[in-house]
């Protein structure tokens, strides 16, 4: 969009025409289509009227310091998680199978099949999430108005890390060193970002991991119950004191009884006790994360888009069809799902 800025001052006695030139600092070039732009005043951030690209003249190319160190930490977390998963699978099978098969062979076969299914589902979804690209943005042409159509780069910005256009749905991850399409967040435990290409696999991984930890905690508690030595409870003084003091003394007596009985616990019992505590804690954390992710999907947002939309008046369509579309349900099945109207939108009507 080339233009000339003229300013005419008419002097009545001489009828002279004076032309003033635009200052050189107001002339700039759009990075998206290469058009020469004339700004009425110096604007560090402006939008091209042809291609729609947004230019920030104050942005400077930043050095991606510590990239290798962050990648090393991510891979260490991935290795630790793989070791923990192998320990849960192998340790659970070794510690629980004598108790399970002592009940009946049918129950033992059911336990074995369930363990294999949950292990394969959790391990396969974890591999997909950790070692699959989170979603690279599509390659588009830019730099010349001859190849960039009108509005083709609407609301695009320039990524100074990747030195290429960045769409509004794209965010640059400094840990992965690339732009991610529909980026939700960077998860250090999988050593990868959660984006358009692996977000669904990440939800399936959370579901299978929660189901696996619930099953392991139940089976380890059941097996430990049969292996735990008899409790050595001390005497409980109930002659005086309030009900709160009595409840505290009861809990303390039972806890010390468990600790005294643990001295005679076998190695198999210690493994079961550790599996129960660790899987219960991991189960709580993963359940909170899964619920948070499902809430964002229900709102039609990602975690980063939710942060950027805070404080804005944008009306978000919240319904169960967002979840159905996320998991790839057909359009014919979406009409049977409930649709909830946004309270703010209903109030405006």
């Amino acid at each position: 969009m080339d233009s000339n800025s003229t300013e005419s001052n008419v002097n009545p006695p001489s009828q002279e025409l004076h032309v003033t030139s635009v200052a050189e600092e107001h002339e700039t070039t759009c990075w998206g289509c290469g058009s020469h732009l004339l700004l009425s005043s110096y604007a560090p951030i402006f939008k091209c009227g042809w291609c729609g690209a947004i230019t920030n003249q104050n942005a400077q190319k930043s050095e991606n310091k510590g990239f290798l160190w962050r990648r090393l930490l991510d891979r260490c977390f991935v290795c630790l998680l793989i070791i923990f998963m192998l320990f849960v699978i192998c340790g659970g099978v070794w510690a629980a199978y004598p108790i399970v098969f002592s009940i009946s062979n049918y129950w033992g076969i059911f336990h074995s099949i369930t363990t294999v299914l949950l292990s394969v589902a959790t391990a396969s979804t974890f591999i997909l999430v950790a070692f699959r690209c989170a979603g690279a943005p599509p390659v588009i042409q830019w730099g010349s108005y001859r190849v960039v159509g009108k509005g083709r780069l609407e609301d695009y910005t320039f990524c100074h890390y990747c030195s290429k256009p960045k769409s509004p749905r794209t965010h640059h991850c400094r840990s992965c060193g690339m732009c991610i399409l529909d980026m939700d967040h960077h998860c250090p435990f999988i050593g990868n970002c959660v984006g358009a290409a692996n977000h669904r696999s990440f939800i399936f991984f959370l579901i299978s991991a929660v189901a696996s930890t619930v099953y392991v905690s139940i089976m380890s508690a059941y097996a430990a119950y049969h292996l735990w030595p008899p409790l050595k409870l001390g005497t409980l003084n109930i002659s005086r004191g309030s009900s709160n003091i009595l409840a505290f003394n009861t809990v303390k007596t039972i806890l010390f009884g468990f600790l005294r009985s643990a001295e005679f616990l076998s190695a198999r019992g210690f493994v079961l006790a550790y599996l129960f505590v660790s899987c219960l804690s991991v189960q709580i954390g993963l359940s909170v994360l899964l619920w948070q992710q499902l809430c964002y999907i229900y709102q039609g947002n990602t975690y980063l888009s939710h942060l950027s939309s805070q404080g804005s008046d944008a009306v978000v369509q919240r319904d169960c069809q967002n979840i159905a579309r996320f998991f790839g349900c057909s359009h014919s099945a979406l009409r049977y799902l409930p649709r909830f109207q946004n309270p703010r939108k209903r109030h405006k009507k």
Side-chain angles (χ1 to χ4, degrees):
M1 45 180 284
D2 298 336
S3 63
N4 294 324
S5 177
T6 61
E7 179 184 60
S8 60
N9 297 324
V10 178
N11 192 354
S14 59
Q15 298 293 327
E16 293 181 356
L17 183 63
H18 298 277
V19 180
T20 59
S21 61
V22 178
E24 193 174 309
E25 62 178 358
H26 295 164
E27 298 181 5
T28 185
T29 303
C30 173
W31 64 264
C33 60
S35 299
H36 295 284
L37 307 177
L38 294 179
L39 306 179
S40 57
S41 61
Y42 178 73
I45 301 177
F46 57 89
K47 184 176 181 179
C48 178
W50 170 255
C51 66
I54 299 175
T55 302
N56 186 3
Q57 299 187 78
N58 291 340
Q60 298 179 355
K61 186 174 182 179
S62 303
E63 296 181 2
N64 201 358
K65 297 181 179 180
F67 172 74
L68 296 178
W69 175 248
R70 287 191 294 268
R71 293 299 294 173
L72 179 61
L73 288 179
D74 287 342
R75 293 309 168 191
C76 289
F77 277 123
V78 171
C79 294
L80 290 176
L81 187 58
I82 292 176
I83 293 173
F84 177 76
M85 291 172 60
L86 292 176
F87 172 75
V88 170
I89 296 173
C90 300
V93 171
W94 172 78
Y97 84 91
I99 307 299
V100 175
F101 276 92
S102 64
I103 301 174
S104 65
N105 290 332
Y106 294 104
W107 181 248
I109 295 173
F110 172 78
H111 168 70
S112 302
I113 295 175
T114 305
T115 302
V116 171
L117 292 178
L118 291 176
S119 301
V120 171
T122 305
S124 59
T125 52
F126 174 77
I127 292 174
L128 286 176
V129 171
F131 301 102
R132 183 182 180 183
C133 179
V139 179
I140 59 174
Q141 294 180 329
W142 61 282
S144 174
Y145 73 92
R146 294 179 179 86
V147 297
V148 178
K150 185 173 179 59
R152 191 69 58 85
L153 299 176
E154 187 69 24
D155 293 332
Y156 272 64
T157 56
F158 190 77
C159 180
H160 290 273
Y161 292 98
C162 301
S163 298
K164 62 182 181 180
K166 182 174 66 174
S167 69
R169 298 171 49 197
T170 303
H171 298 272
H172 183 85
C173 178
R174 298 185 63 182
S175 297
C176 294
M178 61 179 296
C179 289
I180 304 298
L181 183 64
D182 288 338
M183 178 178 172
D184 186 84
H185 68 287
H186 180 84
C187 183
F189 295 101
I190 64 174
N192 198 4
C193 284
V194 178
N198 64 350
H199 198 175
R200 190 183 305 173
S201 301
F202 182 71
I203 298 299
F204 284 134
F205 165 69
L206 292 179
I207 294 174
S208 60
V210 170
S212 300
T213 51
V214 169
Y215 184 76
V216 171
S217 59
I218 293 175
M219 294 305 301
S220 59
Y222 178 80
Y225 173 77
H226 288 79
L227 291 178
W228 204 275
L231 296 182
K232 296 183 178 181
L233 300 178
T235 57
L236 182 63
N237 188 5
I238 59 174
S239 60
R240 57 182 181 178
S242 61
S243 58
N244 294 333
I245 297 177
L246 178 60
F248 175 76
N249 291 333
T250 303
V251 172
K252 184 175 69 173
T253 302
I254 295 175
L255 180 60
F256 278 103
F258 269 103
L259 294 178
R260 282 192 291 268
S261 301
E263 298 177 1
F264 306 97
L265 195 63
S266 62
R268 197 183 302 271
F270 275 113
V271 172
L272 291 172
Y274 176 77
L275 286 177
F276 174 77
V277 175
S278 60
C279 289
L280 185 63
S281 59
V282 172
Q283 169 193 337
I284 294 173
L286 292 180
S287 300
V288 173
L289 180 58
L290 177 60
W291 176 256
Q292 184 188 49
Q293 288 288 312
L294 292 178
C295 288
Y296 290 144
I297 297 172
Y298 171 77
Q299 297 171 4
N301 288 330
T302 60
Y303 175 69
L304 291 181
S305 62
H306 172 76
L307 294 180
S308 60
S309 63
Q310 286 183 346
S312 63
D313 296 331
V315 179
V316 180
Q317 186 67 28
R318 306 181 181 184
D319 54 32
C320 296
Q321 296 190 13
N322 291 331
I323 299 179
R325 277 190 293 267
F326 176 82
F327 287 105
C329 294
S330 61
H331 293 282
S332 60
L334 297 180
R335 57 184 178 181
Y336 298 105
L337 296 176
R339 181 186 294 272
F340 302 99
Q341 193 175 15
N342 191 283
R344 277 195 257 176
K345 188 176 181 180
R346 184 169 59 247
H347 178 70
K348 289 181 180 180
K349 289 184 178 180

